[in-house]
Amino acid sequence: MSFDLVLFGGTGDLAWRKLLPGLLQAHRHGTLPPGGRIIGVARDAMADEEYRALIGKRLADVEADKRPSEEEFARFAQLLHYQRMDLTQPADYALLRERLAERSAKVVVMYLATAPQLFTTACEQLGAAGLATPQTRVVLEKPLGHDLASNRAINAAVRRVFREEQIFRIDHYLGKPSVQNLLALRFGNALFEPWWRRETIASVEITIAEQLGVEQRGHFYDRTGALRDMVQNHALQLLCAIAMEPPINASADAIRDEKLKVLRSLTPWTPESLAQGVVRGQYGTGQVAGRQVAAYREEPGVAADSRTETFVALRTGISNWRWAGVPFYIRTGKRLASREGHIAIHLRPTPHAIYRTPLVCGANRLVIHLQPRDGLALHLFAAANEPRGGPPGAHSGEAPALTPVALDLDFDQRFGAERVGAYERLLLDAIDGRLNLFVRADEQEAAWQWVEPIMQSWAAQDARGEGPRPYAAGSWGPGAASALVARDGNTWVEEC
Ligand code: BG6
């Protein structure tokens, strides 16, 4: 199947950090359909050869295991082409049309890795230039919009040009092998379902911690912040994977229907829950991985008096039969103590204790490790091998102490670390037309609808002169985040 993949934003950060390495991996794995072209699009004038050289130089900077050898890159580079184009100029779309008319590919994927402000114009102009044919698919990077209204406006504009099944809204977390595994764990095993509910589960924690700061994206990030960058999309998609009902089959719409129900059941915010259940923070200077780093406000592209959040922790719930009363905590931030993504399912303690377990985290928990390691650990308690029939007190009626142990499964070790990466999978899915791991418009709208009251409450705080809480780079965020879970008698998993 021949394809043309047009990468708008072809010289941008995302293209060389994620998209081109993903495509290179697919090429390496032999999964990229043969006879394809990858056409980078950006504003500068450049010949194909210059683009290949530029990408070759950039790919030399990626992590060692993803870096291509010279011959490997030379083979991959034959797929790379370049088209100069200013997306705001209607006349420039004719240049792309000519380029695509050089041959008739079976599938044309338009990947908009550009600022979201350009999505509407780009789709309208693709339509006007006759480039939205039944063979065309459009991939839209997140965040899609800035709030509910702008999200709706973009979705409406895109749908005037493309049918829903041609629209691939990307959330790269859905492409991660660890997230695929989460669904497999829940819906491919009978073991979990009976206790996957409020009667057994006390709370759920979702943490996506990064050590990175805003890197070269200060300008973008300062207008976006952690709520729009991570919570509205990645964290809520993880929450859906944990909380959704079993879908009737593995089709895109069956899965999306169930996720949508979760998003619509998120407990609505009240002034009290906003005040007590949401913490926003912004990093100051500090040590991350042994290196002194600058404060957020000193990063290039960031306003010196910025109130943009680089950290969010929140407590919510899901108002349905399965989850009523179970707190769901979400926490994400930049410049935190370690790079760590996990979902911790904390179980209720035994109904009657004849043993002593630790005071903190003294009940079972299942931790699904998303990154950097991909695996899962079931934390249990066992009787240590005590001589003479048990620990002191065992005979006097005092509860004997148990020792924490873990059943630990490492998927990288089990399946090999060379697994299909998120962008590699999602790019192949877009070329093949598989929508399962892409987000439907109604899911996105429900997620925006739920985060909007948080944005509004922060705007009101800003007006009162109350900004985000400072935290030291290299810490776990503002102390208020620990207080948030402590109010329910809980702790974040690193404190266990
Ligand atoms: C992106 C955000 O969607 O996800 C970035 O825009 C963030 O700010 C990144 O760094 C995190 O992705 P990952 O896969 O490294 O956890």
Side-chain angles (χ1 to χ4, degrees):
M1 180 200 52
S2 59
F3 69 90
D4 278 338
L5 171 60
V6 184
L7 281 187
F8 296 93
T11 54
D13 200 57
L14 187 72
W16 72 264
R17 274 196 326 121
K18 301 278 191 190
L19 305 180
L20 289 159
L23 289 162
L24 176 72
Q25 282 292 95
H27 186 64
R28 192 181 260 177
H29 291 152
T31 46
L32 205 55
R37 288 195 302 183
I38 299 164
I39 306 173
V41 168
R43 288 161 75 134
D44 300 323
M46 221 187 301
D48 286 354
E49 275 312 321
E50 285 172 282
Y51 184 60
R52 290 173 189 153
L54 175 76
I55 297 303
K57 230 186 279 163
R58 291 268 169 87
L59 289 183
D61 288 343
V62 299
E63 302 117 81
D65 59 327
K66 306 228 169 73
R67 206 173 295 149
S69 69
E70 240 169 77
E71 301 127 57
E72 199 176 15
F73 182 72
R75 263 179 279 128
F76 177 66
Q78 289 168 11
L79 309 185
L80 296 177
H81 301 263
Y82 181 78
Q83 180 58 54
R84 182 202 69 77
M85 204 180 148
D86 179 344
L87 292 190
T88 62
Q89 297 304 313
D92 282 6
Y93 288 77
L95 301 173
L96 180 62
R97 194 174 49 219
E98 277 168 34
R99 201 72 206 250
L100 293 174
E102 288 166 1
R103 60 189 210 139
S104 56
K106 286 236 166 58
V107 170
V108 179
V109 178
M110 307 284 188
Y111 196 122
L112 293 179
T114 60
Q117 299 88 294
L118 287 172
F119 288 173
T120 302
T121 312
C123 287
E124 283 168 358
Q125 292 306 323
L126 286 171
L131 290 172
T133 67
Q135 282 73 41
T136 317
R137 293 176 190 141
V138 63
V139 184
L140 304 171
E141 258 299 331
K142 58 149 274 285
L144 208 68
H146 200 66
D147 53 17
L148 179 61
S150 55
N151 175 261
R152 280 190 174 147
I154 295 172
N155 273 327
V158 177
R159 273 188 300 206
R160 276 195 289 276
V161 182
F162 295 102
R163 294 191 318 272
E164 182 65 31
E165 58 275 21
Q166 295 178 285
I167 307 171
F168 290 68
R169 297 177 194 83
I170 211 161
D171 182 311
H172 79 277
Y173 267 58
L174 293 180
K176 288 185 186 262
S178 46
V179 178
Q180 315 284 303
N181 253 330
L182 172 54
L183 296 178
L185 178 82
R186 286 200 58 202
F187 305 130
N189 296 282
L191 182 67
F192 299 99
E193 174 55 22
W195 60 264
W196 206 261
R197 56 191 64 250
R198 62 193 299 281
E199 287 79 5
T200 317
I201 295 179
S203 66
V204 177
E205 163 195 335
I206 298 172
T207 286
I208 313 172
E210 296 185 86
Q211 283 190 321
L212 286 181
V214 293
E215 310 305 297
Q216 313 312 317
R217 302 157 70 222
H219 185 65
F220 157 80
Y221 194 88
D222 209 32
R223 285 179 287 123
T224 307
L227 186 71
R228 292 181 174 92
D229 191 40
M230 299 294 288
V231 176
Q232 185 273 339
N233 32 72
H234 304 326
L236 285 184
Q237 286 292 329
L238 293 179
L239 181 143
C240 286
I242 288 290
M244 69 197 263
E245 294 300 316
I248 53 165
N249 57 37
S251 69
D253 274 336
I255 295 172
R256 294 148 142 207
D257 286 347
E258 296 305 334
K259 288 195 290 169
L260 179 64
K261 281 198 239 161
V262 173
L263 293 164
R264 289 192 174 154
S265 319
L266 284 167
T267 311
W269 293 105
T270 61
E272 294 73 39
S273 62
L274 285 167
Q276 305 232 330
V278 185
V279 175
R280 66 167 167 160
Q282 188 189 74
Y283 62 82
T285 55
Q287 291 264 332
V288 178
R291 193 168 60 90
Q292 185 68 26
V293 298
Y296 175 68
R297 290 180 177 185
E298 292 160 15
E299 300 272 18
V302 172
D305 58 352
S306 171
R307 290 180 186 276
T308 300
E309 78 288 355
T310 60
F311 175 96
V312 182
L314 60 84
R315 177 197 198 278
T316 185
I318 298 170
S319 303
N320 67 16
W321 275 50
R322 189 186 285 269
W323 296 113
V326 177
F328 278 72
Y329 306 108
I330 291 176
R331 175 179 60 160
T332 184
K334 295 208 178 277
R335 289 284 190 234
L336 295 181
S338 69
R339 176 170 186 247
E340 168 68 29
H342 63 243
I343 300 169
I345 319 275
H346 296 268
L347 271 60
R348 295 190 188 282
T350 54
H352 170 66
I354 62 166
Y355 291 109
R356 269 183 294 135
T357 53
L359 281 178
V360 175
C361 301
N364 300 139
R365 65 185 184 282
L366 174 70
V367 182
I368 298 154
H369 292 279
L370 305 173
Q371 57 194 35
R373 64 171 278 228
D374 175 7
L376 68 94
L378 182 58
H379 294 264
L380 308 167
F381 297 98
N385 189 18
E386 297 286 346
R388 298 211 184 89
H395 302 296
S396 60
E398 192 189 314
L402 294 183
T403 304
V405 288
L407 277 171
D408 211 336
L409 191 57
D410 184 329
F411 291 126
D412 287 331
Q413 212 174 44
R414 175 66 183 77
F415 300 123
E418 256 295 281
R419 297 171 67 198
V420 178
Y423 273 102
E424 178 183 356
R425 170 174 302 272
L426 295 174
L427 283 157
L428 287 172
D429 281 358
I431 294 170
D432 292 345
R434 269 192 303 272
L435 277 161
N436 297 38
L437 301 177
F438 293 85
V439 182
R440 209 168 52 191
D442 48 9
E443 284 179 77
Q444 258 183 356
E445 287 190 12
W448 276 116
Q449 202 152 14
W450 182 77
V451 297
E452 271 213 337
I454 307 177
M455 303 187 316
Q456 285 157 3
S457 78
W458 287 349
Q461 284 176 10
D462 287 347
R464 295 197 298 269
E466 299 162 19
R469 293 167 194 267
Y471 64 95
S475 70
W476 277 104
S482 298
L484 177 85
V485 291
R487 270 201 298 277
D488 299 328
N490 293 326
T491 50
W492 298 104
V493 118
E494 74 276 0
E495 292 158 12
C496 283

